[in-house]
Amino acid sequence: MQSIVCSATDRRADMEKRPFSAYQGEEPYIFVSYAHADSARVYPLITDLHERGVNIWYDEGIEPGSKWREELAGAIQDAAQILFVASEKSVASPNCERELDYALSHNIPVSVVYIEKVDLPPALSFSLGSHQGIFESHYDTQTFRDKVFDLVSKAPDKILGVIPTGHRNRLSIWLAAAALLLTTLAIYVGTRPAPTEEGAERASIDITPTLEDPVRIAINPLNNVTGDTEIGWISDGLANLLRDQLSASRYAVVLSPNAWRSIADNAAQGGDIAALARDAGVDYLISGEMLGDDDAFLATMRVTNLRAGIDVMAQTFPDLTPEALINSSERIATNAKQAMKIPREDGLQSLAADFVTGNIGAYEAFVEGLERNISFDYPGAEQSMRAALALAPDFHIARYRLADILYLTSQREAAKAEIAKIPGDAVQDQRESLYIKAFSQFLNAQYDNAIETYQEILKAYPYEVEAQQRLARVYYETFQEQKSVDILTTLRRQEPENPYVLGALGYQLTSIGELEAAEEVLADYLERHPDLPNAWHLNAALKLRRTDLAGAEADFSKALSLEADYTDSRIGLAKTLALKGELNTATARFLSIRDDDTQLPRHRIDAAFAVADLHRALEQPEYVDDDLAPVEEMIRGEGVRVGLYWYTKAQAQIDRGASDRALETLATAKREDDGVPTRFVHLEGVIKARRGDNIDQELAILQENRLPEDNPDRTEDKAILHLEGIAAMHAGDAGAAVDKLRQAVDLYGYEYGVYRVELAEALFAAGKNREALKEIEAARSQHNNLLSGDLRLDLLHHQHQAGHVLASFYERTGQDRKAKALLTELHDQIDVDRP
C-alpha cells in the first residue's frame, strides 16, 4: 500500500499532538506539504487516510537532532506522490514552495487539495497549474475524504506536463498576477445531476459519453500572465479552434461563447468558476495559462473532471510562438478527447483550420472580429473581418462571417455579393461548406433549400448552437414562427444561460401572442442578466404588446439607464410616446435617430418608417417622401423592405388624393419586390373598390395566394372579404357590406389597416347605430391585431380616421355639440408645424 508524508513546516511545534507516527519503511508512501497552522483541518484528513491503510510520512517523522534538510529532501525524493494541502497560509509559506520545487525538479507527481478558496501566487500557479486538484468546498466531509483517498491510492508513476526545473525557474521571475480571462466556448445539453448538498444523492463521477448522453464541455481561454497584452488574442483564438474541433464530435457538446460568458461574468463577480460551471451541468472544464519571457512563452493546458474535482489531463508546451501554439490545437483537442473518453470519429473536421497557421495575422484579425461580433460591435467586427481578408483573400470562413455581419446591419445586397465571391469549388471542410451554402441560399431567398441545408448540418452535428439559431431565424423570417419557437425552446434547455437564446425566444413568443410563455422566459432573462439592456427592452416590448404603456415606458427607460445609446430602446420609447398620443415628441425622437449617421442602417430605416407613419397620423402625408428619402439607398441595400418603401409611399399618395399615382407606385412595388404581393394587391383593390371600379383581378390574385386551409393564417381571406365589403358599400348594399366586413374582422390573420373602420361605417349605414358605436370605439383604441405581434404605428392613421367617422355620425344625428368637441379633440392632436 502507498504512504503519505507531511511536510516539516513549523516541524517542532506541538509534536506531542500528532495523531499517528509517520511511516518508516520500504513501501510507497505519500508526502504531505501543508502549513502547520492548518493542523486542526489537515490532521483529520490524513488520519482518515491512515486508518484506510495509506502509508503517510509527515513532519512528525523527522527525529529531533537529525539533519532536517537532508531527511526532508530524502522523504520528498523517495515519495510516490506529493499531496499539497492548499490554504491561504500554505500558499504563502516559503517552506511549502521549496518542497514543491524540489518535488517537481525530481519529477515527483503532485496532487493538490484545496481546503479553502485561495488565489495561488504567480510562482505556485505556474508550478501547480497543471496538476490534479480537489476542492473541499465542492463536497460534504465524507465524500471529500473519499475523493482524496481515491486520488492518493492511485498515484500514477508521473504527471503529464511536468516542466524541467531550469526552464520553469527562468520563466517564473516574469510571472505577475493577471485577471482571469473569461471568454469561453462550451455547450450544456439537458440536465445531468451535479454534486449536491450534503446528504443528497450524488451523480456518478465516472463519465462515459454516448450518442444519447454526450459529454458536456466548457473551454476557458488561457489565462494570460505573460504581461504582454499583444498576445492576449491567442487565448481566444485557441479556444475558438478547440471549440470547433471538439464540437465536431457527436459525443460532445461545447458551451457556446454567449452561454459561457454568462457563467464567466458571474465568476468575475466573486463566484468560483469551476463550481459555477459544474452547477450549470458542465462535465469537463478545459483551461490553462500562458506564461513567458522576452524570447518565447509557455502554455499549460488541463482538462478537469468537474464531477470528481480532479484533472484528467495536464500538458505543458514550452518555447512557443503564436504560430506554434495555434498549430498545437489539433493535438490538444485529440489529447483532450482521449482524456474525456470521447470516441474517435472520422470525417469530422474543424472550421477555419485551413488558414490558421499559414496566415497567423489574418487569423488574429478574424478572432478579433468574432469577439466584436459577440459583443454586438458590428462596425468593429466588419472592420476586423475585412482586415483578415485583406491579408488572406481566400480565407473563406472570414468572408462568410463578414457576409453575416453585413446582413445583420441591413446590408443584404452587400452580404450576397460577399458570399458570391467564395468559389463553388473552394477547398473547405464539410461543416464550413454547409454553413456557407445555407447562408447563400438564405440570402437569395431560397428558403426551403436553406432549411434543408441547416437540417443537414444538425443531422451531422446535432448540438451545433449556431445551426440551431440560424434555422430558427429562417423559420421566423418565413412566417413559420412556431417552428422557430420550438427550436429556440430546445436550445434554451441546452443552454439556459445563453442571453441570445433567452432574448430571441422571449421576442418571438411575444410576436406570436404567447404572452404568458413570453413573460416566463423574459423573467428568467431578467433574473440571469439584470444588467443587460436588451432584457429590459424585451420586457418593455411585452408590456407594449399588452398595451401597458406606462410599464413599457418605465422598462425602456431602465434599459437606457444601463446604456444611454441603446438604440432599440430609444426607438421603443419613442414608439411608446407616440401611442400615448405625444405624436410630435415621438416624431422628433425618431428624426434624431434617422439623421444620425453613426447609427446602424436598420435603426435609421426603422426610424424613417416610424416618422412616415406618424406624419400620416398627423395628417401630413406630404412629408412622407422626404421622411424616407435620406434612407432610400439603405433600404435598397437591405433589400427586404423595398416593398414596404413603395407601399408606404402609395398610402401617402392615397391620403393626398392621388389615387392614380398610387396605382403606378404599387405597380413599381410589385416589379421590385418578388415576395407575396398580398399587401400591394389589397391596396390596389381598396382604391378601385372605393371608386366603383371592377376588382375581380385583385380578388383572383388574392385567392391564388391563399394559404392551405389547415393553416390558421387567413390573411388573404381577410383581405378578400374586406375588399368585397367596401365594394358592397359603394354599391349601396349595407347589409352585404356588414356581413362581409364582420367576417373580415373576425378571421385570424394580418390586417392591412383597421378593418373595423369600414365595418362601423357599414353598420351606421344599415341603421345599427349601437353596434356601430361599439365597433368605432374598438377601432379608435386598437393598436394591434392578431398577427401583428406588436403595437403598430401605421394603424394610428386609421384610428384617427375612426374619430372622423364618429364625428360624422354625431353630425348626421343632430349631436352637434358632441361632433364639435370630438373634432376639436382630433385637431388638438395635430400640430400643423413639422417638428
Side-chain angles (χ1 to χ4, degrees):
M1 189 63 184
Q2 297 175 358
S3 312
I4 298 182
V5 179
C6 292
S7 87
T9 306
D10 300 326
R11 58 191 175 85
R12 295 298 181 184
D14 301 324
M15 292 287 287
E16 67 279 4
K17 297 181 181 179
R18 304 301 165 88
F20 56 88
S21 298
Y23 177 75
Q24 302 289 339
E26 301 299 324
E27 294 183 7
Y29 59 84
I30 307 299
F31 180 104
V32 178
S33 179
Y34 71 102
H36 193 269
D38 294 325
S39 297
R41 299 178 65 182
V42 173
Y43 286 174
L45 173 64
I46 63 174
T47 297
D48 178 80
L49 296 172
H50 175 70
E51 291 174 350
R52 297 193 194 203
V54 179
N55 296 325
I56 299 174
W57 193 100
Y58 62 120
D59 58 356
E60 190 275 342
I62 303 178
E63 297 181 1
S66 65
K67 294 181 179 180
W68 176 76
R69 291 188 183 277
E70 291 182 6
E71 188 162 343
L72 182 64
I76 295 173
Q77 190 170 339
D78 293 339
Q81 187 183 33
I82 305 299
L83 182 67
F84 176 56
V85 183
S87 68
E88 291 288 351
K89 292 182 173 60
S90 66
V91 300
S93 167
N95 286 333
C96 288
E97 183 176 357
R98 282 193 291 269
E99 291 164 6
L100 294 172
D101 282 345
Y102 189 75
L104 291 170
S105 69
H106 286 78
N107 289 337
I108 308 300
V110 175
S111 295
V112 187
V113 171
Y114 292 86
I115 60 173
E116 61 190 28
K117 183 178 179 181
V118 60
D119 294 324
L120 298 179
L124 278 180
S125 177
F126 177 80
S127 299
L128 301 177
S130 60
H131 293 79
Q132 297 186 52
I134 297 177
F135 295 82
E136 184 177 18
S137 61
H138 292 181
Y139 310 100
D140 60 75
T141 300
Q142 191 55 53
T143 303
F144 171 63
R145 291 178 181 178
D146 290 344
K147 291 183 180 298
V148 176
F149 173 76
D150 290 341
L151 179 65
V152 300
S153 64
K154 301 174 183 177
D157 293 335
K158 64 178 182 178
I159 297 292
L160 290 175
V162 173
I163 305 164
T165 304
H167 188 67
R168 175 172 53 80
N169 289 337
R170 178 171 66 89
L171 287 174
S172 63
I173 62 175
W174 283 281
L175 298 180
L180 186 62
L181 180 61
L182 297 170
T183 313
T184 302
L185 319 165
I187 280 183
Y188 162 59
V189 178
T191 54
R192 185 196 299 271
T196 57
E197 298 296 329
E198 185 170 353
E201 182 180 353
R202 295 183 171 279
S204 169
I205 64 174
D206 182 35
I207 305 172
T208 302
T210 65
L211 291 174
E212 295 75 23
D213 191 14
V215 67
R216 301 156 177 84
I217 305 168
I219 306 172
N220 196 34
L222 300 179
N223 183 20
N224 179 17
V225 292
T226 65
D228 182 2
T229 57
E230 294 295 320
I231 65 172
W233 71 270
I234 299 172
S235 297
D236 294 313
L238 180 62
N240 177 58
L241 289 175
L242 292 177
R243 176 197 63 188
D244 288 334
Q245 289 159 349
L246 292 172
S247 64
S249 173
R250 292 169 294 173
Y251 292 86
V253 290
V254 184
L255 207 67
S256 70
N258 280 320
W260 178 252
R261 181 167 290 181
S262 173
I263 295 172
D265 286 345
N266 287 333
Q269 297 171 7
D272 181 272
I273 190 75
L276 289 169
R278 186 190 68 236
D279 292 343
V282 175
D283 295 319
Y284 289 102
L285 176 64
I286 299 177
S287 59
E289 296 81 27
M290 291 195 307
L291 312 103
D293 59 15
D294 294 336
D295 300 322
F297 66 93
L298 173 148
T300 63
M301 296 291 304
R302 59 187 169 275
V303 178
T304 304
N305 179 332
L306 295 179
R307 292 200 209 171
I310 61 172
D311 292 345
V312 295
M313 186 199 88
Q315 291 182 312
T316 301
F317 300 86
D319 298 317
L320 291 174
T321 61
E323 292 87 345
L325 180 56
I326 293 297
N327 196 40
S328 300
S329 64
E330 184 175 353
R331 178 157 55 101
I332 295 170
T334 299
N335 292 346
K337 286 181 181 180
Q338 292 175 347
M340 294 182 286
K341 303 178 184 178
I342 296 174
R344 181 184 295 275
E345 294 181 276
D346 296 329
L348 300 180
Q349 302 169 336
S350 64
L351 290 167
D354 55 344
F355 263 85
V356 172
T357 57
N359 299 268
I360 197 68
Y363 188 60
E364 179 178 356
F366 174 77
V367 170
E368 182 178 7
L370 291 179
E371 286 302 301
R372 289 179 171 181
N373 193 38
I374 291 172
S375 302
F376 304 103
D377 176 11
Y378 296 129
E382 178 182 347
Q383 181 181 10
S384 295
M385 291 304 173
R386 291 193 184 280
L389 289 166
L391 294 170
D394 47 352
F395 194 171
H396 305 311
I397 196 64
R399 196 171 299 282
Y400 159 73
R401 296 294 181 193
L402 173 61
D404 187 49
I405 293 164
L406 292 171
Y407 171 78
L408 291 172
T409 54
S410 302
Q411 302 176 72
R412 188 186 186 104
E413 295 304 312
K416 289 167 64 175
E418 287 297 336
I419 281 288
K421 292 178 183 178
I422 301 176
D425 59 353
V427 178
Q428 305 164 46
D429 70 33
Q430 178 193 27
R431 188 162 45 162
E432 180 179 286
S433 177
L434 288 172
Y435 270 111
I436 292 171
K437 177 183 177 181
F439 192 49
S440 177
Q441 292 166 335
F442 171 74
L443 290 174
N444 288 284
Q446 300 169 5
Y447 299 119
D448 290 342
N449 293 334
I451 288 170
E452 289 179 4
T453 305
Y454 283 126
Q455 288 173 338
E456 184 179 351
I457 295 173
L458 289 170
K459 183 177 181 180
Y461 314 99
Y463 306 108
E464 281 278 278
V465 174
E466 182 173 346
Q468 292 177 75
Q469 290 174 339
R470 289 177 182 273
L471 179 56
R473 182 168 72 182
V474 180
Y475 278 137
Y476 184 75
E477 296 198 13
T478 55
F479 305 102
Q480 300 178 71
E481 293 95 340
Q482 190 57 56
K483 289 183 178 179
S484 181
V485 165
D486 290 345
I487 290 174
L488 292 172
T489 300
T490 299
L491 195 51
R492 183 191 179 195
R493 290 195 293 268
Q494 179 173 313
E495 292 203 338
E497 310 84 5
N498 191 328
Y500 171 88
V501 174
L502 291 170
L505 180 56
Y507 170 81
Q508 292 189 20
L509 286 168
T510 300
S511 175
I512 64 175
E514 297 288 344
L515 303 188
E516 291 186 5
E519 184 176 23
E520 184 274 324
V521 172
L522 294 175
D524 185 24
Y525 191 10
L526 281 169
E527 182 178 358
R528 292 177 184 272
H529 306 282
D531 296 329
L532 287 184
N534 188 54
W536 291 98
H537 171 82
L538 293 175
N539 205 54
L542 172 62
K543 291 180 178 178
L544 204 59
R545 179 69 170 81
R546 286 175 160 161
T547 67
D548 177 7
L549 301 183
E553 183 177 3
D555 282 358
F556 283 132
S557 298
K558 173 64 176 179
L560 291 170
S561 73
L562 294 170
E563 185 177 327
D565 196 34
Y566 191 65
T567 309
D568 286 321
S569 285
R570 288 178 61 194
I571 290 173
L573 182 57
K575 184 175 184 179
T576 304
L577 295 175
L579 294 168
K580 289 177 63 179
E582 301 176 32
L583 302 187
N584 287 294
T585 300
T587 301
R589 286 175 177 262
F590 282 125
L591 285 171
S592 70
I593 297 169
R594 186 203 65 179
D595 297 335
D596 183 354
D597 59 10
T598 67
Q599 296 293 331
L600 293 175
R602 67 179 175 87
H603 287 142
R604 297 182 68 185
I605 294 170
D606 288 344
F609 278 117
V611 170
D613 290 336
L614 292 183
H615 277 141
R616 291 189 64 223
L618 288 164
E619 298 185 0
Q620 298 170 330
E622 66 274 14
Y623 291 132
V624 167
D625 284 352
D626 290 341
D627 292 336
L628 299 177
V631 296
E632 181 178 354
E633 289 306 312
M634 297 178 199
I635 291 172
R636 294 188 181 280
E638 180 191 54
V640 295
R641 285 189 278 188
V642 171
L644 180 60
Y645 168 77
W646 291 113
Y647 183 73
T648 303
K649 288 170 73 75
Q651 287 179 309
Q653 289 160 353
I654 294 171
D655 294 343
R656 298 171 68 181
S659 296
D660 289 339
R661 187 178 175 188
L663 289 172
E664 293 173 2
T665 300
L666 290 169
T668 301
K670 288 189 287 186
R671 288 195 301 271
E672 294 199 7
D673 190 311
D674 56 2
V676 178
T678 298
R679 63 181 168 189
F680 308 133
V681 175
H682 172 263
L683 193 55
E684 287 176 333
V686 168
I687 295 170
K688 293 180 179 181
R690 284 176 178 169
R691 64 189 189 187
D693 294 346
N694 185 287
I695 59 171
D696 288 347
Q697 181 179 358
E698 285 71 29
L699 294 176
I701 295 173
L702 291 173
Q703 186 73 21
E704 290 174 6
N705 286 280
R706 293 171 67 248
L707 294 174
E709 293 296 336
D710 59 353
N711 192 310
D713 181 3
R714 309 318 307 165
T715 295
E716 281 74 20
D717 289 330
K718 286 172 72 74
I720 290 170
L721 289 164
H722 183 234
L723 294 182
E724 290 176 338
I726 295 174
M729 272 289 289
H730 188 274
D733 188 349
V738 168
D739 179 61
K740 295 290 186 181
L741 291 168
R742 172 68 67 190
Q743 292 181 64
V745 168
D746 290 344
L747 275 181
Y748 180 81
Y750 192 88
E751 289 186 355
Y752 297 99
V754 180
Y755 295 174
R756 289 181 188 273
V757 175
E758 282 87 2
L759 174 58
E761 288 183 310
L763 287 165
F764 280 135
K768 299 179 179 181
N769 294 346
R770 182 172 297 179
E771 291 181 50
L773 288 171
K774 181 179 178 181
E775 293 298 336
I776 206 67
E777 286 303 322
R780 293 188 69 194
S781 62
Q782 179 177 338
H783 302 307
N784 64 338
N785 60 48
L786 292 174
L787 279 185
S788 70
D790 197 3
L791 301 188
R792 292 168 50 188
L793 294 183
D794 64 305
L795 299 184
L796 291 176
H797 169 74
H798 296 263
Q799 291 174 252
H800 200 75
Q801 281 185 318
H804 283 286
V805 171
L806 181 58
S808 177
F809 167 74
Y810 288 149
E811 289 175 345
R812 292 196 309 270
T813 56
Q815 302 180 69
D816 294 339
R817 183 175 296 179
K818 283 187 176 182
K820 183 177 180 180
L822 180 54
L823 290 171
T824 299
E825 177 188 336
L826 295 171
H827 181 271
D828 289 345
Q829 294 175 0
I830 300 172
D831 182 348
V832 295
D833 295 327
R834 184 177 182 180

